[in-house]
Amino acid sequence: MKGPIGVFDSGYGGLTILHGIRQLLPDYDYLYLGDNARAPYGSRSFEVVYQFTRQAVLKLFDMGCRLVILGCNTASAKALRSIQQRDLPQIDPDRRVLGVIRPTAEVIGSLTSSRHVGLLATEGTVKSDSYRLEIQKLYPDIKVTGIACPLWVPIIENNEADSPGADYFVKKRLDQLMRLDPEIDAIILGCTHYPILMPKILKHIQPGVRIVPQSEYVAESLQRYLERHPEMERQLTKSGHCQYYTTENPDKFKETAQIFLHEQINVRHIDLE
């Protein structure tokens, strides 16, 4: 049985991942699910994030998805491995769940000369240490320094990304990171919201430091994955459609989603519990 590609996020940030994937792979069908009613996930425990993410993955499977992308760094950090190793063999060994951390880790070696990399992310992603572990599996010589940016997501979701207040908080975190390791020459935006702040980040970062958003690398990684796994590619429907679901108010989701997508969308409510 064929189905769409599922993209899950705790809220809106995964829309940047979905946008990047659709830019590169427009022919496929997509189903986006945002667990906005229970967002943010960033400060929640491993067990809670795992349970919430598992519920979302099962819902996307029930809706026909054969392949699900966790377009959320916190879910990728705290739930992906358990779902892949513990749940998928029992649920359906032919379905797949992929995350957003590994694709970024794979490319970072070619993006840093100093071998000193910075990470800006949510508290949960930084504390999980997932980026350092994934990067050092592939590039043991790279040093990773991460800090949490707790106010960046609220700034974005309240449509304040262009405000002077955003300048203050972006500069504060960038300066803090560079003080911790002045040799950093590449910074990973380890939260899918953060590309919305890219103009501010580029304005306040030191010259010569590369900013690494995730969406293009996740999209390219997915493209390579489907080329390597034709048995999965054949299970995906292709009519260029995208459906959106939220556990919150659809009208609120539609309004905020425009910050990320710059287009009008139709959204339906869905329950996970």
Side-chain angles (χ1 to χ4, degrees):
M1 197 165 85
K2 293 187 175 186
I5 296 172
V7 178
F8 167 68
D9 185 60
S10 58
Y12 301 101
L15 292 169
T16 62
I17 298 295
L18 174 65
H19 179 70
I21 292 172
R22 290 186 73 197
Q23 292 277 99
L24 188 63
L25 302 167
D27 295 339
Y28 295 92
D29 294 327
Y30 298 92
L31 203 161
Y32 184 90
L33 170 55
D35 188 13
N36 303 76
R38 301 187 293 195
Y41 282 14
S43 57
R44 293 187 181 272
S45 70
F46 269 76
E47 185 57 32
V48 168
V49 172
Y50 164 67
Q51 293 295 346
F52 286 1
T53 305
R54 185 178 185 276
Q55 288 175 352
V57 168
L58 289 174
K59 180 64 75 173
L60 287 166
F61 283 171
D62 287 344
M63 297 168 80
C65 296
R66 311 295 300 172
L67 170 67
V68 173
I69 311 293
L70 301 185
C72 172
N73 282 274
T74 304
S76 295
K78 295 185 174 183
L80 177 63
R81 184 158 299 188
S82 296
I83 289 172
Q84 287 176 332
Q85 296 178 354
R86 188 193 313 173
D87 298 318
L88 277 183
Q90 298 175 357
I91 298 167
D92 186 341
D94 293 328
R95 300 199 196 210
R96 292 288 178 271
V97 180
L98 305 175
V100 293
I101 293 175
R102 178 80 183 190
T104 314
E106 287 173 349
V107 300
I108 198 65
S110 64
L111 303 178
T112 171
S113 300
S114 69
R115 315 312 273 174
H116 289 250
V117 169
L119 170 69
L120 300 170
T122 65
E123 179 188 356
T125 299
V126 172
K127 282 187 174 177
S128 75
D129 211 20
S130 295
Y131 269 96
R132 185 187 65 79
L133 292 170
E134 283 294 332
I135 289 170
Q136 291 188 342
K137 275 185 212 168
L138 302 166
Y139 309 104
D141 62 317
I142 290 181
K143 179 186 177 186
V144 181
T145 303
I147 60 167
C149 306
L151 292 176
W152 286 21
V153 169
I155 286 169
I156 293 162
E157 292 195 355
N158 286 289
N159 212 6
E160 295 289 335
D162 293 328
S163 69
D167 277 288
Y168 173 81
F169 287 110
V170 167
K171 185 176 188 305
K172 181 179 180 181
R173 290 303 181 205
L174 289 172
D175 290 349
Q176 180 186 352
L177 181 63
M178 297 306 294
R179 277 197 304 272
L180 288 172
D181 184 355
E183 292 186 62
I184 287 171
D185 69 350
I187 298 175
I188 296 168
L189 301 186
C191 172
T192 49
H193 279 70
Y194 295 176
I196 302 297
L197 288 168
M198 187 66 87
K200 302 288 192 193
I201 294 168
L202 294 175
K203 177 179 169 185
H204 294 293
I205 195 58
Q206 296 174 17
V209 178
R210 182 167 190 158
I211 304 300
V212 185
Q214 295 175 296
S215 59
E216 66 182 279
Y217 302 112
V218 172
E220 288 167 2
S221 178
L222 176 59
Q223 184 180 47
R224 291 193 299 271
Y225 177 86
L226 295 176
E227 289 169 355
R228 290 196 313 271
H229 297 277
E231 76 285 355
M232 172 56 72
E233 203 278 336
R234 286 192 293 269
Q235 296 182 60
L236 304 175
T237 53
K238 297 175 195 163
S239 56
H241 290 154
C242 189
Q243 296 174 276
Y244 297 87
Y245 293 85
T246 177
T247 56
E248 244 285 7
N249 182 306
D251 291 333
K252 181 178 185 304
F253 184 95
K254 189 186 298 187
E255 182 181 336
T256 307
Q258 287 184 54
I259 298 169
F260 297 84
L261 295 176
H262 309 293
E263 64 175 304
Q264 289 286 340
I265 58 171
N266 292 314
V267 188
R268 293 181 227 176
H269 178 266
I270 197 168
D271 287 313
L272 294 181
E273 296 180 273

